[in-house]
Amino acid sequence: MSGRGQLCVGGMTVKEGQDEVMKKLQVKMFGGFSASYGDEVLTFGRQRDSKFGQLFQILMTRPGQGFGKGDIMGFLYGWEEVEDPNASLNNTIFRLRKYLEASPLPPGDYLILNEGVLRFDGGIQMESDVWSFECAVRELEEEQDPHRKAEICQKACALHQGEFLPQLSNEQWVIEKNRNYEELYSKAVNYLLQYLKEEGDYRNMEKVSARAAELYPYEGWESWRIESLIALGRQKEAQKVYRETAAYLQETGGFLSRDQQVRFRRIGERMRQPEGTAEDIGRCLMEPETREGAYSCTLPGFSDCFRMLKRTVAREGPICFVLLLCTILDGGGAPAGDREYCEKQGRKLCASFKVYMRRGDIYAKYSKNQYLLLCIGAKKEHVPDIGMRIETDYRRRCGGRGDISYRLLDDGSMW
């Protein structure tokens, strides 16, 4: 018996027992990690990122819910060579128990292990920002009322305060969780933005899209923000966001989905520059600085260039060119699937385009692992040489371990 609610048992008075009931364990994992019970902090000392600290974080992604030991072992040791994962996990559970005994939490057995299922539940109130966020987004699937759904989305968006456990961003289980939370966040924001647009609430639409773009820059949220700024009459701000976004996508080959591409293009068509002189127009059209190597385009820009080239061929007759598809491969020689790996390797491939291709060539990112390269003046027989030069430089930038594949899509006779 704990004695709570009695006059005095074990040194705890009635008032102390009531205070204890009012406290809750609060854990935040978006944008960083913190855990507190009332006004007291669970520090985990220097070992906050250790295995027993990670075990606590795993359990607090769904407090009170059960996790199979096999799943936990996969999270903690899946990418490591551990001789006996089960024994290692048992030791980690023991160490976490010892820490919790010395923590500000009231006495109790918080780690409940039953038939291979472990859960955190010590009879105290618990609150986890990631679990509250996940529950809120899941609630959308059952809610039918549009206004109520928008309220749920607002709650979910307010809970998502940044990257999940950024200090553990190299841990595979954290990477997978981050990907899942991003998908849930995207679902909530998309619904909320559509709702606000239908309601004509462009002020809140601008706030929500600006926050989304801050958390996940150049993922398409900028288009929503530009649209809301135009509707609010803040044309200069809209133009600034549009120029910055277009410049970033062109410089990095950033990837937008096809729906996002269509949306960004339509937004661009609504942008209007103030009346300018011939000199103003010239400065707008010309590159800001002369650069060597192939010219980087967004996919819509690349598409416009290619379509214009095909029109010119149809009107003027044959023009020598080759359109190549370059694909980033993983260690096994298959098209790479990991997004972070593709982004890192994509930057290296773009650097090869800039060094080994001519100023008259253009390239664009088509998907997370595919790039289009248009070489004007080149012939079909030049493709092996072009591919070899790019591949050689790319492998050098990858320390000899990177691979790409390339193939001819068109040489003026195929499409």
Side-chain angles (χ1 to χ4, degrees):
M1 293 286 291
S2 67
R4 294 179 186 175
Q6 301 177 19
L7 179 61
C8 181
V9 177
M12 179 179 290
T13 64
V14 174
K15 183 176 185 302
E16 287 173 335
Q18 291 172 341
D19 288 344
E20 209 59 47
V21 170
M22 295 297 291
K23 293 181 180 179
K24 69 170 67 171
L25 172 61
Q26 291 185 299
V27 180
K28 297 182 183 299
M29 290 182 276
F30 281 134
F33 171 68
S34 66
S36 61
Y37 183 69
D39 295 329
E40 299 181 90
V41 176
L42 282 70
T43 64
F44 286 87
R46 296 180 179 178
Q47 303 187 65
R48 59 186 297 162
D49 300 335
S50 64
K51 293 300 182 186
F52 84 83
Q54 289 188 50
L55 175 59
F56 175 79
Q57 291 161 341
I58 289 168
L59 295 174
M60 292 309 297
T61 60
R62 297 185 175 187
Q65 308 296 306
F67 291 79
K69 287 184 70 177
D71 293 333
I72 298 175
M73 284 185 278
F75 291 148
L76 293 178
Y77 315 116
W79 292 74
E80 301 177 15
E81 293 184 7
V82 178
E83 186 174 339
D84 190 342
N86 187 62
S88 295
L89 177 56
N90 288 336
N91 180 58
T92 301
I93 294 172
F94 172 79
R95 292 180 62 208
L96 180 55
R97 274 203 176 103
K98 296 296 289 183
Y99 171 79
L100 294 173
E101 289 174 4
S103 76
L105 296 178
D109 186 8
Y110 293 97
L111 301 181
I112 313 300
L113 181 59
N114 184 27
E115 296 183 351
V117 176
L118 181 67
R119 61 189 173 91
F120 190 103
D121 189 356
I124 60 173
Q125 293 187 67
M126 297 180 287
E127 186 177 285
S128 160
D129 60 346
V130 295
W131 181 230
S132 297
F133 167 78
E134 188 172 336
C135 289
V137 180
R138 305 290 184 198
E139 194 178 341
L140 286 174
E141 300 174 2
E142 300 179 3
E143 183 59 55
Q144 299 298 318
D145 179 69
H147 180 71
R148 175 59 187 150
K149 289 184 77 166
E151 289 181 338
I152 294 170
C153 290
Q154 284 182 315
K155 175 185 175 183
C157 292
L159 287 165
H160 195 299
Q161 291 296 309
E163 182 183 356
F164 173 68
L165 294 178
Q167 75 278 10
L168 295 175
S169 59
N170 291 327
E171 295 287 341
Q172 186 61 30
W173 74 272
V174 173
I175 293 172
E176 292 172 1
K177 281 284 186 184
N178 244 324
R179 188 178 298 122
N180 178 54
Y181 292 140
E182 182 177 353
E183 290 174 358
L184 294 178
Y185 179 77
S186 177
K187 180 178 180 180
V189 174
N190 264 315
Y191 181 88
L192 183 55
L193 289 173
Q194 291 283 2
Y195 176 85
L196 293 172
K197 181 179 178 179
E198 291 172 5
E199 293 291 306
D201 189 352
Y202 293 104
R203 193 172 302 280
N204 277 320
M205 180 175 158
E206 193 274 330
K207 290 179 181 179
V208 172
S209 56
R211 177 60 177 156
E214 181 183 348
L215 291 176
Y216 298 106
Y218 307 111
E219 293 285 339
W221 306 119
E222 290 80 7
S223 296
W224 286 94
R225 188 181 180 204
I226 294 167
E227 183 175 0
S228 61
L229 288 170
I230 292 173
L232 291 168
R234 294 155 63 181
Q235 190 75 15
K236 287 186 177 180
E237 289 181 68
Q239 289 175 353
K240 183 175 183 291
V241 176
Y242 181 83
R243 286 196 301 269
E244 290 174 349
T245 304
Y248 176 86
L249 294 174
Q250 180 169 311
E251 179 66 26
T252 64
F255 174 64
L256 297 178
S257 70
R258 285 182 179 161
D259 287 344
Q260 291 168 342
Q261 291 167 28
V262 171
R263 183 175 187 81
F264 194 70
R265 182 190 287 270
R266 287 175 179 170
I267 290 294
E269 291 171 352
R270 292 175 60 187
M271 303 299 297
R272 293 292 181 267
Q273 293 279 37
E275 183 177 343
T277 65
E279 290 75 14
D280 292 332
I281 296 170
R283 281 193 296 269
C284 176
L285 295 177
M286 296 299 291
E287 286 188 77
E289 57 183 284
T290 301
R291 297 180 179 179
E292 297 302 318
Y295 182 75
S296 171
C297 286
T298 61
L299 186 56
F302 186 95
S303 176
D304 286 340
C305 291
F306 183 71
R307 290 170 183 173
M308 192 63 232
L309 177 63
K310 296 292 279 188
R311 283 174 172 241
T312 303
V313 169
R315 186 185 65 190
E316 303 293 341
I319 295 176
C320 292
F321 73 88
V322 292
L323 175 65
L324 302 180
L325 175 65
C326 299
T327 304
I328 297 171
L329 307 178
D330 60 21
D338 183 80
R339 182 171 181 171
E340 291 187 11
Y341 175 82
C342 289
E343 287 180 356
K344 182 176 70 174
Q345 300 304 100
R347 289 191 289 270
K348 297 174 183 177
L349 182 57
C350 290
S352 296
F353 291 153
K354 292 176 182 177
V355 170
Y356 277 94
M357 304 313 297
R358 301 165 304 173
R359 295 188 71 233
D361 301 329
I362 64 174
Y363 68 93
K365 188 174 186 177
Y366 182 79
S367 70
K368 65 182 178 182
N369 59 14
Q370 294 176 309
Y371 287 78
L372 294 170
L373 176 63
L374 181 61
C375 303
I376 299 174
K379 299 180 180 179
K380 185 176 182 178
E381 53 265 32
H382 297 149
V383 170
D385 180 58
I386 294 171
M388 182 185 68
R389 281 187 287 142
I390 296 171
E391 189 172 21
T392 299
D393 187 70
Y394 173 74
R395 286 180 60 82
R396 179 184 63 79
R397 295 175 187 276
C398 299
R401 294 185 295 275
D403 280 308
I404 60 169
S405 67
Y406 60 91
R407 69 186 182 94
L408 178 68
L409 294 183
D410 193 6
D411 64 351
S413 63
M414 300 180 186
W415 296 346

